[in-house]
Amino acid sequence: MKFITVHQLLHHVFFLLLATAAVRCQVNPEMCRYPLGMTGGQIQDEDISASSQWSESTAARFGRLDLDNGDGDGAWCPDIMSEPDGLKEYLQVDLRSLHFITLVGTQGRHADGMGNEFAQRYRIKYSRDGTNWVGWHDRKGRQVIEGNRNAYDVVLKDLEPPIIARFVRFMPVTDHSMIVCMRVELYGCEWLDGLMSYSIPDGHQMIYRGLDVYFNDSVYDGASAERLTKGLGQLTDGTWGLDDFLHSHMYGMWPGYDFVGWSNRSFPKGYVEMIFEFDHVRNFTSMKVHCNNMFSRGVRMFRQAGCYFRSGSDWEAEPVTFRPSVDRVSQSARFVTVPLGDRTASAIKCRFHFSDMWMLFSEIAFQSGSAVYNNSLTPRKHGHPTNTLPADDPTHKVDDSNTRILIGCLVAIIAILLTIIVIILWRQVWQKMLEKASRRMLDDELTARLAVQTQAFSSQHSSLTSEGGSTSNSTYERIFPLCADYQEPSRLIRKLPEFAQSTDHLDSGSSSKALPATVSDGAPHYAEADIISLQEASDSGTNSTTAVSMNLFAGTESSMREFPRHKLTFKEKLGEGQFGEVHLCEAEGMQDFLDEDLAVDENSDSPLLVAVKTLREDANKNARNDFLKEIRIMSRLRDPNIVRLLAVCVDTDPLCMITEYMENGDLNQFLCSLRRKQFQEDNKTEQEEKEGKSMVSKLIGMAVQIASGMKYLSSLNFVHRDLATRNCLVGKNFTIKIADFGMSRNLYRGDYYRIQGRAVLPIRWMSWESILLGKFTMASDVWAFGVTLWEILTLCKEQPYSQLSDEQVIENTGEFFRDQGKQVYLPKPPYCPDSVYNDLMLSCWRRNAKQRPSFQEIHAHLMESLA
Ligand code: AMP
C-alpha cells in the first residue's frame, strides 16, 4: 500500500476541487496558487533537468524546494565556471501539461549549516511546446527577479503577469560568476482551457479628454507584427478589467491597462477577427468574453460574435452566431457567454462585431466538454459555464441554477486554502523556531558543556607533557595514518559532548583522555603522504565567502591552452598528490605558452623544465571533474607568489596540468632539510648563532612571500582553506609560491573526498570556527597563516600541537570558542622575534575573526620586521 502525506492528500483534494471549480469559471489567480509538485514529489525526477551541474550531488533533481535540507548536497548548483558569464545556466521543470503559474518560490543551499549558496537574482523563461522559449517579465518589463538573501528562507515571488506554460526555467543571474544553488517550487493550477495561443490585431490608443488611454496587449508573449500571433497575453492573464476602463487593478499602470481594445474606425468590415489555437481537438461548449460596456464613453460590448471551427486544415463553413441582448442600462463590465454548440475543433476563429465606437475585452476563456478533454487530473464535466455578471446573458437562468453549488464549492476551497496557508505558515514558523533554538542550543551547549569539560581537559593537559610517550586508549580511530595533518573532524567533534548524541554513553573524562604525541622524529613525516581533503563539515564556511570567492572568475578567460603531449619528455617523479603523480618534464616549445610576465632566464629555444601533474587513469568521474575545476581555478590566478598554471593536456587521457617547476619542492620538505643542515650540531659556534639569525630573516622573507600571495587571493575574496607549508612550493633563491588549490576547489561534498565514506580536514591548521561551525573565510585563512608562520619559524621541526592528540586539538578548539583563557596556543618558536609572535602570530588566532589582521596588514607587519 502506498502511503501519502497529509500535504500530498491536501494537494490532491485541493486540486480536485480546483479542477471542478475550473469547469465553471476561468482561472482565478488568487485561488490558483497551489504547489505544483517540486516539494511534494508529484513532479518526477526525470522532469527536472538543468543546463549543467557542479557535481552529481548537486544535480537538477536536488533542486526541489524543501522545508528540510533537500536531498543530495541540498540543492541544484550549476557549474557556473563552464559558462563564465553564468547567464545561460538554468534549472528546468517540465510540468507535463499546460499550467497557469501564479507564483514561484526559491531557496538556497544550506545543507544543514554546511552550505551557503543561493541565487540573489534570477530570471524565468517558459515554453508551452518545449521549442519556443519566452523570457518572463513583469508588467513593467523587468525580467530580473529578486531572489534569496540567505540559504534558508523560501522567497516567494508573485508572477504578475502569470505564466501559462508547460516548461519553466529558472535562470540564476550571477553577475560575477558567483556560486549559486537553487531549490524551487512552482505554484498555480492546471490550465484547463487548452488554449495555446491567440491571434488578434493589437489594441489601439484612445484619447479621452486629452488623456492617452492605451489598449494594447502589453503582456502578449508571442510575435507582434501586423497582428499579434502565436502567443498569450492580457486576454488570458486571469485579470478582469474594472467598469471604468481608465482605472486599473494594477498599481501604477497606465489608463486603459486592463483592457485590449479596438476602435471601430480602423475596421471597415465592422468586426475584429480573433483566432484561438488549442492543444488538441476539443468539444467546445462556450466561450466567455469579459467586455467593458461604458457606453457613455463610446464603449459597448460586441453586437454579434460569429465563430468558425477548424479540426483539420480547413475552417468549417458553418459558423456559430450569437447576439447578446443589448444593455442600455448598466455600464458594468461583464462576462458575456457565447454558446459554442458543442462544436469540435482545435482552432476557433471568432469575429466580434462592434456596436459602438470602441470594443474593449479584458479576458477570454473557453469551456470544452469531457468527450475530448484530455486532462490528466480531472475530466471536465460537460455543462454550461457561469457568468459573473450575466444580467443580459441568455444563459443566465442556467447559470443561476448553478450559483449555489459554485458558491459552496468556492467556500470549501477558500476554507481548505486557509487551512493550508495556516499549516504552511505554522510549519515555517515552527521550522524557524527550531533553527533558532538549535543554534542557541549549540552556542549554549558549547559554552556550558565545554565548561564541564574544561576541568577534565586542563587537568589532563597538565599531564600531557609528562604522558607524552604513553600509549593511547582513545576510541579515536585515525583514518589516514600516513597523513596526520588531515583528520575527520565530524568524528572528532562527535567526541565533544555537545555534538555527541552517539557518544552519550562515554563519560566526558574518557573522551578527553591524553594521547601521546602523534608525530615523533623518525615516524613517517606528516607531510609525506597524499593529501585528501574534504569540506564535509565545512561548506557553511563558504558563507558569503564561497560565493564571493568565485568572483575571481569574472572577466577572465576560462580556458587554458592545450599543450601537445608529445612535446613533454619525462625526467623524474617529483611527488605524488591527491589525483596522481607529479613529474618533472622537459617541455619543448613551452616558451610560446608563457605569459609575458613569466620571465624565462634560459635560452628561449631550449626546452623548459615544468612540473606535470597527471590525473590517475583509474580516477572516477568526480575526481576528473574536480581536476578540471582545479585547472579552471588555477588558470585564473596570476601572482608572483602563486604557482602558475602554464598549459594543460586535456584533449585525451590522462589529463595533465603543466605548472611552473619549483626546483626546491614543497616548503615543508625544504624547511626540514634546512633544519637538518642548520642544526645538526648541538654546540653552535658564534658564527653559527649569527647564521641562525640571518636564517630567521630568510624565514620571515618566505613568510612575506606567502603573505603577499595570500594578499592577492584575498583581493579576489578567494579562500584557500588549506594554507600550510606542505602546500607552498620553493623555487630558486628562496622564492615561495602558494600551490594546491584542492580544498578551495572542493566546494561540495562528494564521495571522492571521502576515505571509506569519511571526511578529512587539516584540523591543526584550522580556526575554531572552521572546525566547530564549518566556517571558512579569509579570517580562517589568516588563522592558518599563523600556523604556517609558526611552521616556518620552527623549521617544521614538529607538527603543530604535536603534544596534543587529535581529540585534544578539537577540545582545545572548544577552549578557543569559550575564550576563558584555557586555550593552548602554539608556543613561540625559539628564534622568532617577540614582535612577530606577540603582535602577529597570536593575533592570527584571535577568537573574534574580525579582530584578526588582514593579509595586507600581515604583509606590512612582516615587511617591517624584515627592515
Ligand atoms: P601536490 O599533488 O600538488 O600536493 O604535489 C605533490 C608533490 O609534488 C609536492 O609535495 C611537491 O613535492 C611536488 N610538486 C608538486 N608541484 C610541483 C612543482 N610545480 N614543482 C616542483 N615540485 C612539485
Side-chain angles (χ1 to χ4, degrees), residues 52 75 134 136 337 372 655:
S52 72
V134 182
W136 178 87
T337 301
V372 285
L655 304 183

Side-chain angles (χ1 to χ4, degrees), residues 479-480 532 751-760:
I479 47 166
F480 203 48
I532 300 206
D751 289 341
Y752 178 74
Y753 301 105
R754 296 165 190 225
I755 304 164
Q756 294 165 350
R758 297 169 193 163
V760 284

Side-chain angles (χ1 to χ4, degrees), residues 49 114 172 194 216 293 437 461 494 537 539 617-618 716 797 839:
S49 54
M114 287 184 262
N216 58 321
N293 198 44
H461 183 244
R494 251 180 269 134
D539 269 343
E617 301 260 9
D618 60 350
L716 300 168
K797 191 167 177 225
D839 303 340

Side-chain angles (χ1 to χ4, degrees), residues 314-431:
D314 299 323
W315 293 105
E316 289 167 20
E318 194 62 32
V320 165
T321 307
F322 171 72
R323 281 171 167 267
S325 49
V326 182
D327 185 350
R328 297 181 205 284
V329 182
S330 168
Q331 298 209 73
S332 304
R334 74 213 45 210
F335 272 101
V336 177
T337 301
V338 179
L340 295 178
D342 287 343
R343 294 282 288 268
T344 302
S346 62
I348 301 176
K349 176 168 70 184
C350 290
R351 291 172 179 166
F352 296 94
H353 293 258
F354 287 90
S355 61
D356 208 326
M357 290 304 296
W358 286 86
M359 189 162 62
L360 312 183
F361 296 170
S362 75
E363 196 76 5
I364 298 186
F366 290 85
Q367 284 74 48
S368 48
S370 58
V372 285
Y373 193 70
N374 185 18
N375 189 304
S376 57
L377 260 172
T378 320
R380 197 190 292 207
K381 282 187 199 133
H382 207 74
H384 291 281
T386 306
N387 279 343
T388 44
L389 287 166
D392 59 348
D393 189 333
T395 62
H396 183 37
K397 282 178 189 157
V398 181
D399 294 338
D400 269 356
S401 68
N402 288 325
T403 306
R404 279 187 195 177
I405 302 169
L406 176 64
I407 291 172
C409 202
L410 287 176
V411 169
I413 291 166
I414 290 166
I416 292 173
L417 192 65
L418 284 175
T419 317
I420 289 167
I421 290 170
V422 168
I423 290 172
I424 290 172
L425 286 176
W426 180 80
R427 280 184 66 174
Q428 280 180 348
V429 169
W430 186 240
Q431 181 89 5

